[in-house]
Amino acid sequence: MSDQSAVKNSGLASPADSAAYLAEKLRFHTDAADLASDLYAKHPEVIALDTRSSEAYERGHIPGAISFPHRLMDEASTAWLDRNKVYVCYCDGIGCNGSTWGSYKLAKLGFTVKELIGGLDFWQRDGLPVAVGAEAGGLAGGKIECDC
């Protein structure tokens, strides 16, 4: 057994550096509970964007989410988006980078974005409902209680 801590071996950030880094991380990401809370409350400035293919969207998506595959995003195709909204991009989950691509493309075009941690996978793991079909649907009622 080593006398040196494996945790401390790579160095430690100061509390101030940790706080700054984590504040930055929170600016770029949101989780399923926070998104669901906003969707249940019907905050009009928060829009969920499903960045997967339209076929994947139809098999199941976050209720209220708009289907907008990241591969179709460019200056012309995003002209209809409201620049005063916050777009939360998601894909299948941590093994998919569609939400990263969607967030990146929208940010480059001047939109305010956040990426959903864990995508649809983590949404479902939190026991949140999924809509099926081409219609966006919506979340009604419900109260989010996060275990964190």
Side-chain angles (χ1 to χ4, degrees), residues 97-109:
N97 68 2
S99 60
T100 305
W101 275 111
S103 296
Y104 169 70
K105 288 178 178 182
L106 291 176
K108 272 186 61 172
L109 292 168

Side-chain angles (χ1 to χ4, degrees), residues 90-138:
Y90 75 91
C91 56
D92 285 328
I94 61 172
C96 176
N97 68 2
S99 60
T100 305
W101 275 111
S103 296
Y104 169 70
K105 288 178 178 182
L106 291 176
K108 272 186 61 172
L109 292 168
F111 294 95
T112 303
V113 298
K114 281 199 175 203
E115 188 174 13
L116 181 64
I117 298 168
L120 188 60
D121 177 31
F122 282 20
W123 177 271
Q124 291 176 295
R125 287 182 192 206
D126 281 356
L128 295 164
V130 173
V132 176
E135 297 300 317

